[in-house]
Amino acid sequence: MPGHRRGRSLSEGLMLEESEKGGLVVSSVIGGSSGNHGLKEGDEIVGATINFDQLSKDDVLKILKLMDDNGFDKKVQVLTKNNLSKSMGTLDSIKAPEEMLKDSYNSLYNAKINRFMKDDSPGQPAGAWERGSHNGQLASSFSGEDALPSNLRIPSNLVDRARAERPPPPSDSSLPVLRRCDAAVPVHLSPVQTWVETLERRDSKQLGLVDLHPDVFAVPTRIDILHEVELWQRNFKRISRAHTKVRSEVRGGGKKPWRQKGSGKARHGSIRSPIWRGGGVSHGPRGPTSFYYMLPMRVRVQGLKIALSSKLAQDYLHVVDTLNIPTPDPQYLMDLIRYRHWGESVLIVDVGEELPENILQATESLKTVNVIPAIGLNVHSMLKHEVLVLTLEAVKFLENKLLWHDERFTLLYPFKLPYTDLP
Amino acid sequence: MSFTRKPGGKALDILQNLPRISLANLRPEPGTKKAEKKRGRGQHGGNRSGRGHKGERQRGNRPRLGFEGGQTPFYLAIPKYGYNEGHSRRAQYQPLTLNRLQYLIDLGRVDPTQPIDLTQLVNGRGVTIQPQKRDYGVQLVGEGAGIFAAKVNIEVQMASEEAIAAIERNGGMVTTGFYDPRSLAVLCKPVPFFISGQPIPKRMLPGEDMVPYYTDAANRGYLADPEKIQKARIALAQKYGYILPDISKDELFHMLSMIKDPRQIFFGLSPGWVVNMAEKKILKPTDDKLLQYYSS
């Protein structure tokens, strides 16, 4: 049979022959091989799928009429949109269930998991691999020495992609150190460093580096102390006002309901006893109860230090020179946060009673971005917000206040009275 | 020179690869929170609810503490005697060993170049005095006399002979002085007192029973005769076998010879003065009657 032109997609020169069984076989391919869908010599053409997506109504009618005229309507299956979405999009897609499962698994594997396999392409974000971390690496149990132990491997849905976009400064960074530690750093430790950024422009580069005192920003992490401080913060202010009436407080019930003997009923002394419906509660909540307690001052201070250290260690701490932003528009802040891949919620801390008006206006309407003075810094807020942003003055203030507790005597008299060395 | 440890150690390294610490990740140290047994609930707290089986125990009708079933109880059989009679009215003196004093001086918590007072000891957290609990001050105890090697001018409320000898052997001066409870409270916590705005009270003289103690030169009492004190110093040196150093030729002689007036609480401040901490001013009385009262 002579070759039929099949339009633009198939090139000229596809010679077909009828095989012995009665099917169509490609006898030879002439012309460019790129246009004929990978058909080679000897391929048996079983069917064809025509996608009507971009054809006009007239064209569709022409094709269907062609089918109809030539009596092929029994071999034609018309698919509606619903059919297409249910099936895999092709006519021939009736596969065995196991095969379909394998297909879906393969597609999922290729999409999500393959990227983290060790010998992957260099399409990974550079920051994650520079530090040599193994975020979300999946390796079999027979993999070898480099794989993380199973309790430290993180499933891929918990890995924070945005964190890889903002690596900490390398040790040989050429930017100037804008602030050194005021207090003396212990001899066996060295200050930790992080960038100093600005909020002036969305895409401004880092201004320099800042030295942070290790006894405040690089304290060993104690999640149990954070837990204790968080519980304390929730409960010490709690006053539960639940109150129930005892049998003596419920109205009525002074008189013996019926005589002790002879009535045939159970013996009772009062209609408000706890056994009775409408009677008092025996052991219910009694009045406003206070759950006030104070954790030792040093535990609360240590909680703050651990929270700051963990924010810095996990790259959620940013230092900013001032809080001056060009517009009071909240959208500017959201754009900046988006652009710099900071995270979902930001807690901004500054020192002093008067904060710049622009930032106050901008954050007033925003729910996830909040500004607080440095005295208001607390563990709950730090853990609730993903990112913590400190100004240079806030860093100085916090270091001053938090380091004082390391080297002080026990208090003789309350804090409110003057101390010569109180910061 | 020394090995510089990375701040935070391995914990912060591991933390870099773990999910963000948030309110959902906090937990107490395993084993710290043991669930309490709720009485009347469950297999172990229920059934008899920890009350035992029948009888007074379960029914909550046990007799009073000390009852011995009718036999004369112990607390009634033993006769009374005044061992603890008036125990809450007895004067207490917090001991201060020479070991501790040397430790404080070595660590710099107490300055030996200034007269050492109870205020200085409390500021350096060397002793804890509770004037409300019948503490009348601090007593110098001779433990550590062998190693004591500091030249100090110290003022305490009581001192043992051995302690006095140890201090004077090193060229120091000891004085014992009496403080009534109100003056003691002022002496121990001067800042809250100054903030209260009251004039500095005059120190009261000791009661009848303590006058012989404070007028005795052997105890270096502040009411004793200075000449007798000098003789007592020489006698003590002879008794303990050391040469008494001549402090008059010492460069710190002026500091070592500073002694408070019997009515004075603070060095440099007289009774009747009001100290204003906020404005850092001292107000002195001008009225005749007040001056007469405070200088008596």
Side-chain angles (χ1 to χ4, degrees), chain A residues 349-352 372-378 394 397-398:
Chain A
V349 182
D350 193 9
V351 183
I372 53 165
I375 12 168
L377 190 64
N378 59 88
F397 175 87
L398 288 171

Side-chain angles (χ1 to χ4, degrees), chain A residues 104-387:
Chain A
S104 63
Y105 174 79
N106 276 337
S107 63
L108 203 66
Y109 179 87
N110 289 331
K112 295 209 186 254
I113 299 169
N114 210 8
R115 311 153 59 180
F116 297 105
M117 296 312 286
K118 230 181 168 178
D119 23 277
D120 195 28
S121 63
Q124 270 294 306
W129 294 105
E130 256 172 30
R131 283 198 306 267
S133 66
H134 298 278
N135 281 347
Q137 175 165 1
L138 291 178
S140 72
S141 48
F142 306 107
S143 54
E145 298 141 19
D146 291 337
L148 272 184
S150 55
N151 61 330
L152 290 183
R153 263 180 250 142
I154 314 168
S156 52
N157 62 328
L158 287 182
V159 171
D160 188 7
R161 301 268 175 279
R163 207 173 125 191
E165 312 282 339
R166 34 181 173 90
S171 49
D172 53 353
S173 165
S174 60
L175 286 179
V177 177
L178 297 179
R179 183 214 168 236
R180 300 264 179 203
C181 292
D182 294 327
V185 174
V187 173
H188 64 290
L189 298 172
S190 59
V192 263
Q193 288 188 329
T194 190
W195 305 120
V196 177
E197 304 169 14
T198 19
L199 299 175
E200 298 281 349
R201 269 166 290 114
R202 186 183 82 149
D203 52 355
S204 61
K205 288 190 183 168
Q206 290 97 0
L207 298 178
L209 294 174
V210 62
D211 265 356
L212 300 171
H213 201 286
D215 279 339
V216 175
F217 288 93
V219 164
T221 313
R222 289 273 306 267
I223 299 194
D224 56 325
I225 291 187
L226 284 180
H227 173 78
E228 267 184 35
V229 176
E230 163 63 30
L231 279 185
W232 168 77
Q233 255 191 282
R234 272 200 291 200
N235 289 333
F236 87 106
K237 286 186 273 198
R238 177 180 168 205
I239 300 180
S240 147
R241 291 192 176 78
H243 180 89
T244 54
K245 289 184 164 55
V246 171
R247 62 184 286 175
S248 57
E249 291 168 354
V250 179
R251 181 100 173 162
K255 188 174 159 204
K256 195 167 168 65
W258 44 79
R259 59 184 188 277
Q260 176 82 359
K261 297 186 75 58
S263 67
K265 299 190 202 169
R267 51 192 179 179
H268 288 293
S270 135
I271 56 165
R272 302 300 188 202
S273 103
I275 311 176
W276 281 63
R277 172 191 180 277
V281 179
S282 336
H283 297 294
R286 291 296 293 159
T289 3
S290 153
F291 291 82
Y292 172 80
Y293 68 102
M294 292 304 279
L295 277 181
M297 203 190 299
R298 293 182 219 242
V299 173
R300 288 178 267 140
V301 165
Q302 189 69 12
L304 281 172
K305 289 182 187 167
I306 292 169
L308 288 169
S309 311
S310 60
K311 285 287 179 202
L312 180 64
Q314 299 189 309
D315 307 324
Y316 288 110
L317 183 76
H318 299 274
V319 179
V320 156
D321 56 347
T322 43
L323 289 188
N324 296 325
I325 49 172
T327 50
D329 184 19
Q331 194 56 37
Y332 169 76
L333 268 181
M334 295 304 290
D335 282 341
L336 191 139
I337 292 165
R338 259 291 145 84
Y339 182 81
R340 296 187 189 182
H341 299 282
W342 276 0
E344 288 171 5
S345 49
V346 180
L347 184 66
I348 307 177
V349 182
D350 193 9
V351 183
E353 292 169 2
E354 290 166 13
L355 305 171
E357 272 189 29
N358 275 353
I359 195 128
L360 285 178
Q361 265 190 333
T363 49
E364 209 173 335
S365 54
L366 288 175
K367 190 176 156 189
T368 53
V369 181
N370 296 310
V371 183
I372 53 165
I375 12 168
L377 190 64
N378 59 88
V379 165
H380 176 82
S381 302
M382 280 202 269
L383 293 176
K384 183 133 177 109
H385 294 80
E386 217 176 288
V387 168

Side-chain angles (χ1 to χ4, degrees), chain A residues 154 163 188 218 313-314 410 418, chain B residues 5 15-17 19 21 125 195:
Chain A
I154 314 168
R163 207 173 125 191
H188 64 290
Q314 299 189 309
T410 53
Chain B
R5 226 181 290 153
L15 200 62
Q16 280 174 0
N17 298 329
I21 296 181
R125 309 301 191 272
I195 291 191

Side-chain angles (χ1 to χ4, degrees), chain B residues 28-292:
Chain B
E29 192 72 21
T32 43
K33 305 282 179 185
K34 187 162 175 164
E36 65 167 282
K37 188 189 333 191
K38 290 240 165 85
R39 302 289 172 181
R41 304 282 188 277
Q43 181 189 0
H44 304 288
N47 201 15
R48 294 196 205 92
S49 304
R51 298 285 311 211
H53 178 63
K54 279 189 181 178
E56 288 177 335
R57 294 163 193 237
Q58 193 174 17
R59 293 171 178 136
N61 288 325
R62 276 202 249 212
R64 65 183 179 278
L65 187 65
F67 185 67
E68 290 178 16
Q71 167 184 291
T72 314
F74 172 81
Y75 71 94
L76 287 181
I78 306 298
K80 285 197 204 179
Y81 185 79
Y83 292 112
N84 296 330
E85 177 130 23
H87 73 283
S88 57
R89 268 174 278 225
R90 287 185 204 149
Q92 295 175 13
Y93 294 87
Q94 181 78 2
L96 174 69
T97 54
L98 290 172
N99 269 331
R100 179 114 177 116
L101 184 58
Q102 185 66 54
Y103 174 80
L104 295 171
I105 291 171
D106 289 341
L107 258 66
R109 279 154 71 161
V110 161
D111 189 10
T113 58
Q114 294 293 320
I116 294 181
D117 199 5
L118 187 54
T119 325
Q120 302 308 314
L121 287 170
V122 168
N123 284 351
R125 309 301 191 272
V127 290
T128 312
I129 306 287
Q130 297 165 302
Q132 307 261 29
K133 300 283 182 187
R134 275 72 62 193
D135 272 355
Y136 271 73
V138 88
Q139 56 174 321
L140 211 50
V141 164
E143 185 173 331
I147 58 139
F148 189 76
K151 186 168 64 170
V152 285
N153 175 10
I154 191 161
E155 199 224 25
V156 287
Q157 278 67 57
M158 281 173 108
S160 72
E161 201 183 45
E162 208 182 19
I164 297 172
I167 291 181
E168 290 185 345
R169 180 188 302 142
N170 289 299
M173 276 283 287
V174 193
T175 328
T176 47
F178 174 81
Y179 288 86
D180 54 291
R182 188 179 171 215
S183 314
L184 189 71
V186 168
L187 184 69
C188 290
K189 293 190 182 174
V191 175
F193 174 77
F194 293 146
I195 291 191
S196 68
Q198 296 167 51
I200 297 174
K202 57 178 186 180
R203 233 205 296 179
M204 293 294 137
L205 292 170
E208 247 185 74
D209 45 345
M210 293 308 287
V211 166
Y213 183 88
Y214 288 108
T215 44
D216 194 0
N219 300 325
R220 311 291 186 270
Y222 71 132
L223 298 171
D225 209 356
E227 287 161 36
K228 287 191 185 160
I229 287 181
Q230 190 55 30
K231 282 184 200 165
R233 280 164 61 89
I234 298 165
L236 200 68
Q238 276 184 347
K239 179 178 175 186
Y240 278 84
Y242 60 86
I243 305 167
L244 185 69
D246 194 3
I247 53 169
S248 54
K249 290 168 191 165
D250 201 337
E251 51 186 6
L252 291 169
F253 173 64
H254 174 72
M255 185 278 289
L256 288 174
S257 58
M258 275 167 84
I259 299 178
K260 285 185 198 171
D261 186 67
R263 294 289 194 181
Q264 193 185 21
I265 298 182
F266 297 108
F267 277 119
L269 293 175
S270 278
W273 292 1
V274 181
V275 174
N276 187 341
M277 297 229 26
E279 290 164 32
K280 302 203 174 150
K281 286 184 187 163
I282 298 178
L283 307 164
K284 301 178 190 177
T286 48
D287 193 31
D288 282 336
K289 280 191 183 167
L290 284 174
L291 286 169
Q292 205 177 15

